[in-house]
Amino acid sequence: MTLDKLKEIPPDAILGLMTAYQADESPDKIDLTVGVYKDSQGKTPVMRAVAESERRLVAAQTSKAYLPPLGVAGFRDGIRKMVLGPVDGAVESRTAVIQTPGGCGALRVAADMYRRTSTEDVVYLSNPTWGNHRGLMGAAGLALEEYPYYNPATHELEVDEMLDKLSRIPPQSLIVLQASSHNPTGEDPDADTWKQVIDIIEERGILPLFDLAYQGLGDGLDEDAAVIRAAAERLPEMFVAVSCSKNFGLYRERTGALLAIGKDPSQKKVLETQAANVARGCYSMSPAHGPLIVAGIFEDPELHKLWLDEVVEMRGRIQGLRKNFAQALANERSDLDTTWIAEQRGMFSLLGLTQSEVDTLREEQHLYMVRDSRINIAGLQDSSIEQIAGVVAPLMS
Ligand code: LMR
């Protein structure tokens, strides 16, 4: 027997709780687990631009035959422009783009390409980071290391500790940097800190892998990619893993892309062939439905404008929920400084509760959050904010 050697594995730290929430029959249950945007009705809607682009796609589509291995041309071009913005042609000519199954697919393709270079085979992740970074990078065979990032007790970045660690990372190591709306902390480096990070990466010859999962939901589409654009102008090599799950609401369509930027235009073809070859040996090629929807949005000025407006709307709602939640907590506990919740960015914040406090909230109040006390701010509802603040404020410090 062979398969009987396999042991059952505990549920995924995020998806397991999402499933447990779905199975909970309590009418009072509240879901702040997985990072999906919810509107004021508590629904995760199909975005209007997406619905219209999909309608046109289905009406016009005459074949489901294979597309080229790198993916949909209009998607790849549009994503490169969305991420890199108005860079000079020199950066563009060094940039290979491959469509991937979500941002996860992009992270995995990048990790496999890095492993093929037979350099350090080590990846540095922020402490804390998104749980699945460890799973994805570990599955690619990379040794996992950490760099200091955030102190949940003070709700602040550990800037000095981070820079000190980065300046001791061996050359040619891979480092994952979340470009904006850091998951799970919601805390991003400021421009000056990013500059120091890029300085160290350049000096030491470290290979950065920027994870860009929330572009547009932090401060704006351009602002959220600013560090990537600055790095692309200065660094000879880098990866960017792009997700369309959140900013296009295409979660289940698994839509993403990997940008691999090489030292000169001659590397672009090499990187394209390597990325396509990694994908071929793993999942052959990426699904096209989501990328065709996104390409339809990029290529139609009206749909593009509609989508931009919807991103502004989502961002505004998240920022409003942050302010309201910070205020509701302060109303419960006048001794509590909650400004950090209002000032953080993106979908997530860490409340700083213990795992057993989180477990008790789930078991007794049917309030679901990730066990590190990460909450999905974008899942809060005006109708539930006070109730949530009422049960979590007494536990916070
Ligand atoms: C999250 O962090 O909740 C999302 O990125 C969804 C996921 O796959 O974990």
Side-chain angles (χ1 to χ4, degrees):
M1 299 286 268
T2 303
L3 294 181
D4 75 336
K5 295 190 184 72
L6 298 175
K7 301 275 182 285
E8 185 175 338
I9 297 173
D12 178 82
I14 297 172
L15 304 182
L17 285 165
M18 177 186 83
T19 312
Y21 168 81
Q22 285 161 355
D24 187 336
E25 286 171 3
S26 166
D28 303 325
K29 64 181 181 176
I30 295 174
D31 181 19
L32 302 180
T33 61
V34 71
V36 291
Y37 174 82
K38 292 184 188 160
D39 64 16
S40 57
Q41 312 299 312
K43 299 269 182 294
T44 302
V46 180
M47 291 171 72
R48 297 188 292 282
V50 166
E52 177 55 20
S53 181
E54 185 169 43
R55 191 192 64 73
R56 292 180 193 176
L57 171 66
V58 171
Q61 203 165 48
T62 54
S63 175
K64 295 280 190 189
Y66 294 118
L67 290 174
L70 293 176
V72 176
F75 173 75
R76 295 169 54 232
D77 279 354
I79 289 289
R80 195 191 60 237
K81 289 183 191 131
M82 178 181 89
V83 175
L84 296 178
V87 291
D88 62 34
V91 173
E92 196 177 310
S93 68
R94 295 159 47 214
T95 304
V97 186
I98 184 170
Q99 172 185 310
T100 56
C104 287
L107 289 165
R108 179 60 195 263
V109 171
D112 281 350
M113 285 173 74
Y114 170 66
R115 274 216 82 189
R116 288 183 174 189
T117 65
S118 291
T119 50
E120 285 290 319
D121 282 358
V122 182
V123 62
Y124 286 79
L125 303 169
S126 64
N127 178 22
T129 194
W130 176 50
N132 205 31
H133 276 149
R134 305 185 76 82
L136 280 163
M137 297 288 135
L142 296 176
L144 307 177
E145 297 280 349
E146 287 182 341
Y147 59 90
Y149 186 78
Y150 180 80
N151 182 342
T154 59
H155 315 294
E156 282 171 359
L157 285 189
E158 295 181 311
V159 174
D160 293 342
E161 294 85 344
M162 171 171 74
L163 296 176
D164 176 60
K165 177 73 184 186
L166 298 193
S167 61
R168 288 182 289 112
I169 288 181
Q172 300 181 5
S173 303
L174 185 66
I175 183 169
V176 175
L177 299 161
Q178 296 190 40
S180 45
S181 301
H182 185 273
N183 180 2
T185 68
E187 194 75 35
D188 296 325
D190 61 17
D192 180 55
T193 304
W194 271 133
K195 186 180 168 305
Q196 294 183 67
V197 169
I198 304 299
D199 286 346
I200 295 172
I201 286 177
E202 186 176 30
E203 268 161 40
R204 297 198 61 75
I206 300 166
L207 180 62
L209 165 49
F210 287 99
D211 189 358
L212 183 61
Y214 308 97
Q215 190 180 357
L217 299 187
D219 281 323
L221 282 161
D222 292 329
E223 293 83 347
D224 294 347
V227 60
I228 291 173
R229 295 175 188 181
E233 301 276 357
R234 281 183 54 195
L235 302 178
E237 299 182 331
M238 59 188 250
F239 288 119
V240 187
V242 186
S243 171
C244 299
S245 295
K246 278 74 178 182
N247 54 7
F248 286 88
L250 281 168
Y251 311 90
R252 69 174 69 162
E253 301 294 356
R254 311 310 303 137
T255 307
L258 176 69
L259 276 57
I261 304 183
K263 69 178 190 320
D264 58 42
S266 69
Q267 270 298 104
K268 177 175 168 179
K269 187 81 187 160
V270 173
L271 295 172
E272 284 177 351
T273 58
Q274 285 285 341
N277 182 263
V278 165
R280 182 72 169 147
C282 186
Y283 51 82
S284 190
M285 61 188 80
S286 178
H289 190 68
L292 286 166
I293 292 170
V294 173
I297 294 171
F298 285 145
E299 286 164 358
D300 182 286
E302 266 177 48
L303 282 190
H304 191 231
K305 164 90 175 53
L306 177 59
W307 171 70
L308 291 173
D309 290 347
E310 291 185 272
V311 172
V312 171
E313 198 180 299
M314 288 197 290
R315 180 169 70 244
R317 177 169 161 75
I318 293 171
Q319 289 173 350
L321 288 167
R322 284 191 170 281
K323 285 200 189 73
N324 294 348
F325 187 49
Q327 186 58 53
L329 290 168
N331 292 347
E332 292 291 329
R333 288 256 316 267
S334 55
D335 61 317
L336 213 55
D337 177 7
T338 58
T339 47
W340 55 276
I341 293 190
E343 284 165 6
Q344 288 180 340
R345 286 291 175 263
M347 287 180 143
F348 306 113
S349 284
L350 279 181
L351 294 184
L353 312 187
T354 64
Q355 285 197 357
S356 81
E357 288 169 336
V358 170
D359 291 346
T360 305
L361 286 172
R362 187 176 62 251
E363 284 152 17
E364 293 180 3
Q365 311 283 341
H366 303 274
L367 172 58
Y368 287 71
M369 65 184 76
V370 182
R371 290 189 79 211
D372 59 5
S373 79
R374 186 195 82 171
I375 60 164
N376 174 25
I377 297 278
L380 291 168
Q381 294 298 308
D382 290 332
S383 55
S384 60
I385 277 184
E386 277 179 25
Q387 182 195 343
I388 295 168
V391 289
V392 300
L395 306 172
M396 289 174 67
S397 51

